[in-house]
Amino acid sequence: MAGYVGVFVSDPWLQNQFTQVELRSLKSHFLTIRRDNGGELKLADLPSKMSKLKHVGENLTEDERAAFLRDSYQNLDDDVDFELFLRVYLKLQVHASARMGSGVKTSSAFLKSPTSTLLHTISESEKASYVAHINNYLAEDEFLKKYLPIDPSTNDLFEIAKDGVLICKLINVAVPGTIDERAINTKTVLNPWERNENHTLCLNSAKAIGCTVVNIGNEDFIEGRRHLVLGLISQIIKIQLLADLNLKKTPQLVELVDDRKDIEELMSLAPEKILLRWMNFQLKKSGYKKTVTNFSSDVKDAEAYAYLLNVLAPEYSSPSTLAAKDPLERAKLVLDHADRMGCKRYITPKDIVEGSPNLNLAFVAHIFQHRNGLSTQTTQISFLETSPDDTQISREERAFRFWINSLGNSTYIDNIFEDVRNGWILLETLDKVSPGIVNWKIASKPPIKMPFRKVENCNQVVKIGKQLKFSLVNVAGNDIVQGNKKLILAFLWQLMRCNMLQLLKNLRFHSHGKEITDADILDWANTKVKNSRSNSRLCSFKDKSLSDGIFFLELLSAVNSRAVNWSLVTKGGNEEEKRMNATYIISIARKLGCSIFLLPEDLIEVNQKMILTLTASIMYWYLKQPVEDRTCGSSDSESLLDTTSNSATDDTASESSADENSNR
């Protein structure tokens, strides 16, 4: 699979039990628990460490897992390598299935960690809900209308998704303008190359809007691996549904808090948490006595929904809803109420009483979008007004957040400035960028109650940063703990740049220890464009002439002669033409295989940092291609470059770092 590092397993029988995607996810989990266990792992440690694995963790208690291992192995002090870990996992799966029979719990979920893809069945209710969503939002699409509406009772969704167009279009519904549709291959019959390009484009674009796609590759679409495809669709839809749950999009949310300090806390919350706070705010008005803390067990009786809709749309309320004794009947009446108020919903009464967290969250998000019950008079709060500096900080925070989430760390982060303050995420990211550089024995894993432990983590972050030659004059760990925004952004920029330079360095052989520099990237780009017989030249990464996009279009054309359709390119003479070129450049780069997190504004305004990452990403993609696949001959400056890797999908995360780190 392109962009995909295989996991070596010597036993052929074991190889046949898992797909490469599953092996990679299991390897990541194995390395994580061994790292958290001080670098070694015994059989006796496994019962407590396997709680997060699907089937095994859900259907066997820790005591049951321990009892099974005692019965199966004579010496629980034996060291566990990866292959033994796989054998234990398989045995426990069989044991769980035997104990639970047909009652083994399986359901699709919004993917937030690598282990969540170890799932081979899907929720038919969720599939039906997502199909209804797709039918509703993409019904008028010129290309897709011939395939829609999709029948949720069939597997047509996965067949249609195989060419990548549907997912690309869905991403644009979730975050409009993410993909320039001129870059999507939309012929009726696509050849394998064109289909692969669409898959690469949709995966890199999904990462760019905040999806976790560590364990999803092109072959998963082609082979129709339903749990992975549905998992990606669920993430995209979730991003769309929660898009308005922030103060920028919905400033009326300030009504939920009392003072500036509370507003700052609200701004740092994940969208799901804001949705819960909003729901409880409205429920308090209605006289509901309980607090809803989740979208599963707390709403299963549908009582909270009845109160919520009564306060939001009292004109459609019915006394029979709260009077109903049967939760299923109450759930049905709640959905009738939602229909009367014009709220589009894709949930059934059964989904509510069974506590489906994804579908209940989607239902509440739909209610919020349709009628949030907040004051239409926006409170004027000066600190909510954004300055140009604030806008730039917000864009950089978004880019770094999505980049970190793309690496497949143990925790999905929603707010850079809050979520890195304990140091753990930064340590994990440093370990991905430079495997083995973190001393995990002195690191504290969340939840961290003692403040000095957070400082210790952040002190190690700063120490490693200095070791990597970051510019950190007068910076201490406590600055990160205190949430210094500019310092955190400066650190993350250097970390992202270090990651890219390290990836480029790893492609070299006989480099005589020479580090890759910004100047090397600049020279490479100019050489490629010059060799393609163009007069364009990049003077620096802050060269204002770059704003028209022509140089990068010529660079993309130089590294792949068929990448750019020049009939779609504008002269870049005004803001609109510059934006059209910028969106096209970003989509073409992602379509080739560049994992990038910049916005069109970064190109138009010539953001030096993001221009560098774009150039380096194109360079990295090109140098990974086999020499015979390159459309232009190698220049003298490339003679020291190793081009043995055929991978072309992911250039941001050092996905092999887990394997390289396996001996730590």
Side-chain angles (χ1 to χ4, degrees):
M1 186 183 301
Y4 181 92
V5 179
V7 178
F8 178 73
V9 176
S10 60
D11 187 329
W13 180 83
L14 269 179
Q15 284 181 343
N16 291 332
Q17 305 308 306
F18 303 96
T19 67
Q20 276 292 314
V21 171
E22 292 164 345
L23 283 174
R24 245 176 74 198
S25 185
L26 282 164
K27 185 65 175 284
S28 176
H29 187 79
F30 168 72
L31 292 171
T32 298
I33 63 177
R34 193 174 68 174
R35 179 193 68 204
D36 294 345
N37 212 48
E40 58 180 31
L41 196 62
K42 306 287 187 185
L43 274 169
D45 300 322
L46 291 183
S48 63
K49 301 296 183 182
M50 300 182 90
S51 59
K52 292 183 180 179
L53 291 177
K54 291 292 179 182
H55 305 309
V56 168
E58 288 183 344
N59 299 305
L60 293 173
T61 66
E62 183 177 332
D63 288 342
E64 288 170 337
R65 294 193 293 271
F68 178 78
L69 286 183
R70 284 196 299 271
D71 292 340
S72 303
Y73 296 94
Q74 291 184 344
N75 187 3
L76 295 183
D77 288 329
D78 284 348
D79 290 327
V80 178
D81 60 13
F82 181 51
E83 293 197 6
L84 179 56
F85 177 81
L86 292 178
R87 288 189 174 87
V88 171
Y89 175 58
L90 285 171
K91 287 183 178 181
L92 284 170
Q93 271 194 318
V94 172
H95 183 56
S97 298
R99 286 178 60 85
M100 301 297 292
S102 60
V104 175
K105 294 185 287 184
T106 55
S107 65
S108 181
F110 291 129
L111 304 184
K112 283 196 174 182
S113 68
T115 57
S116 63
T117 59
L118 297 176
L119 196 55
H120 291 231
T121 59
I122 63 171
S123 162
E124 290 298 324
S125 289
E126 287 190 29
K127 185 181 78 170
S129 174
Y130 303 148
V131 164
H133 185 97
I134 289 167
N135 287 339
N136 182 44
Y137 281 93
L138 291 172
E140 300 305 314
D141 184 87
E142 283 301 317
F143 179 79
L144 292 174
K145 62 170 53 175
K146 59 192 171 192
Y147 302 110
L148 301 181
I150 300 169
D151 183 350
S153 66
T154 69
N155 285 323
D156 288 354
L157 170 64
F158 307 107
E159 289 300 314
I160 295 170
K162 282 184 177 181
D163 66 7
V165 177
L166 175 69
I167 309 291
C168 287
K169 300 274 189 177
L170 192 60
I171 287 171
N172 270 355
V173 169
V175 184
T178 299
I179 297 175
D180 188 322
E181 297 204 359
R182 295 174 295 175
I184 305 173
N185 298 320
T186 54
K187 293 191 310 188
T188 303
V189 179
L190 299 178
N191 62 43
W193 178 266
E194 292 166 331
R195 192 164 54 229
N196 185 73
E197 286 184 329
N198 280 351
H199 297 152
T200 304
L201 173 60
C202 83
L203 287 174
N204 281 321
S205 300
K207 281 193 288 187
I209 66 169
C211 295
T212 301
V213 298
V214 173
N215 294 300
I216 308 173
N218 296 0
E219 282 187 5
D220 297 314
F221 290 99
I222 297 166
E223 296 178 9
R225 290 186 179 135
R226 301 186 304 157
H227 60 294
L228 294 174
V229 174
L230 198 69
L232 178 59
I233 289 173
S234 72
Q235 290 187 84
I236 296 167
I237 291 175
K238 179 185 178 186
I239 287 168
Q240 177 190 345
L241 294 177
L242 299 179
D244 293 338
L245 281 149
N246 59 73
L247 285 171
K248 184 177 180 181
K249 292 283 187 69
T250 312
Q252 295 89 349
L253 284 166
V254 296
E255 194 178 336
L256 305 185
V257 296
D258 297 322
D259 56 35
R260 175 174 175 144
K261 183 178 179 182
D262 290 335
I263 291 174
E264 290 175 340
E265 179 193 351
L266 185 68
M267 291 177 73
S268 71
L269 291 178
E272 299 98 311
K273 298 293 185 185
I274 296 177
L275 191 62
L276 279 171
R277 182 172 287 199
W278 167 80
M279 187 174 180
N280 284 308
F281 175 79
Q282 300 296 355
L283 288 174
K284 190 175 180 180
K285 290 183 191 176
S286 72
Y288 188 66
K289 302 300 182 185
K290 300 174 186 175
T291 298
V292 176
T293 62
N294 58 64
F295 294 108
S296 183
S297 58
D298 286 359
V299 295
K300 287 172 72 170
D301 60 6
E303 192 174 338
Y305 286 151
Y307 277 95
L308 177 65
L309 296 183
N310 282 349
V311 76
L312 293 175
E315 67 273 26
Y316 301 115
S317 63
S318 169
S320 59
T321 304
L322 285 171
K325 301 297 183 185
D326 178 30
L328 193 64
E329 177 62 23
R330 189 183 300 121
K332 182 179 182 301
L333 293 171
V334 161
L335 294 181
D336 289 342
H337 189 162
D339 280 341
R340 288 194 297 275
M341 63 186 274
C343 181
K344 191 77 177 176
R345 44 88 176 180
Y346 313 113
I347 194 170
T348 67
K350 186 169 179 281
D351 296 326
I352 292 176
V353 299
E354 288 184 350
S356 169
N358 289 349
L359 297 183
N360 277 295
L361 181 148
F363 179 49
V364 178
H366 274 297
I367 294 171
F368 177 87
Q369 286 184 341
H370 186 74
R371 189 179 296 197
N372 60 39
L374 299 172
S375 171
T376 54
Q377 296 297 317
T378 305
T379 306
Q380 294 300 314
I381 299 179
S382 59
F383 120 87
L384 278 178
E385 297 172 2
T386 57
S387 66
D389 282 349
D390 292 331
T391 302
Q392 185 61 38
I393 286 173
S394 176
R395 288 218 305 259
E396 291 191 6
E397 186 274 339
R398 174 190 180 277
F400 297 142
R401 171 162 42 95
F402 290 166
W403 169 64
I404 289 175
N405 284 333
S406 77
L407 300 177
N409 289 324
S410 63
T411 305
Y412 186 94
I413 59 175
D414 293 290
N415 183 295
I416 281 284
F417 304 122
E418 291 300 316
D419 295 344
V420 304
R421 287 171 60 180
N422 62 24
W424 183 262
I425 285 290
L426 292 176
L427 288 173
E428 284 196 316
T429 306
L430 283 162
D431 199 53
K432 290 284 175 67
V433 171
S434 184
I437 202 167
V438 176
N439 183 354
W440 293 107
K441 292 181 180 178
I442 62 172
S444 298
K445 186 177 182 180
I448 304 172
K449 295 181 180 179
M450 304 299 290
F452 75 92
R453 295 292 186 194
K454 299 178 183 179
V455 175
E456 287 178 344
N457 279 356
C458 291
N459 281 341
Q460 186 178 181
V461 167
V462 173
K463 180 182 178 182
I464 294 171
K466 291 177 179 177
Q467 187 178 333
L468 293 171
K469 298 183 173 59
F470 292 1
S471 176
L472 296 170
V473 180
N474 297 323
V475 175
N478 197 49
D479 295 315
I480 298 174
V481 176
Q482 295 299 318
N484 185 315
K485 289 186 178 182
K486 290 192 174 179
L487 185 150
I488 289 170
L489 288 179
F491 184 91
L492 288 173
W493 158 239
Q494 293 181 85
L495 184 54
M496 186 188 228
R497 176 177 170 275
C498 175
N499 180 54
M500 183 53 64
L501 297 180
Q502 188 65 40
L503 289 171
L504 286 167
K505 180 185 176 184
N506 289 344
L507 290 178
R508 300 179 74 95
F509 68 105
H510 301 132
S511 62
H512 307 293
K514 181 181 182 296
E515 297 290 331
I516 301 295
T517 66
D518 296 4
D520 293 326
I521 298 169
L522 189 74
D523 290 344
W524 174 84
N526 281 324
T527 300
K528 293 307 301 175
V529 171
K530 182 180 178 182
N531 287 350
S532 67
R533 297 181 176 81
S534 169
N535 294 323
S536 295
R537 181 169 177 78
L538 177 61
C539 296
S540 73
F541 295 114
K542 53 186 178 182
D543 185 341
K544 292 301 180 184
S545 68
L546 293 171
S547 65
D548 63 12
I550 300 300
F551 178 85
F552 283 109
L553 288 164
E554 290 181 338
L555 177 60
L556 289 165
S557 184
V559 299
N560 187 308
S561 59
R562 59 184 295 275
V564 178
N565 181 346
W566 286 99
S567 67
L568 303 176
V569 174
T570 75
K571 294 180 180 179
N574 56 45
E575 286 300 307
E576 180 57 30
E577 289 187 346
K578 287 178 180 179
R579 178 168 293 276
M580 289 178 68
N581 283 353
T583 58
Y584 191 50
I585 289 164
I586 292 170
S587 292
I588 289 298
R590 288 178 180 149
K591 183 178 177 179
L592 285 181
C594 301
S595 182
I596 48 178
F597 300 90
L598 73 166
L599 294 171
E601 290 80 4
D602 294 314
L603 275 168
I604 297 167
E605 297 168 13
V606 192
N607 180 322
Q608 180 180 357
K609 297 174 183 176
M610 295 304 155
I611 294 289
L612 170 60
T613 61
L614 173 61
T615 314
S617 296
I618 296 170
M619 178 180 179
Y620 181 68
W621 174 82
Y622 176 77
L623 296 176
K624 289 200 302 181
Q625 305 311 300
V627 174
E628 62 271 17
D629 288 351
R630 298 182 187 173
T631 56
C632 299
S634 297
S635 67
D636 291 339
S637 64
E638 293 162 10
S639 60
L640 297 178
L641 295 164
D642 180 2
T643 58
T644 57
S645 173
N646 296 338
S647 175
T649 301
D650 186 358
D651 68 303
T652 300
S654 181
E655 293 188 339
S656 62
S657 61
D659 294 324
E660 294 166 0
N661 201 21
S662 61
N663 294 322
R664 177 162 51 81

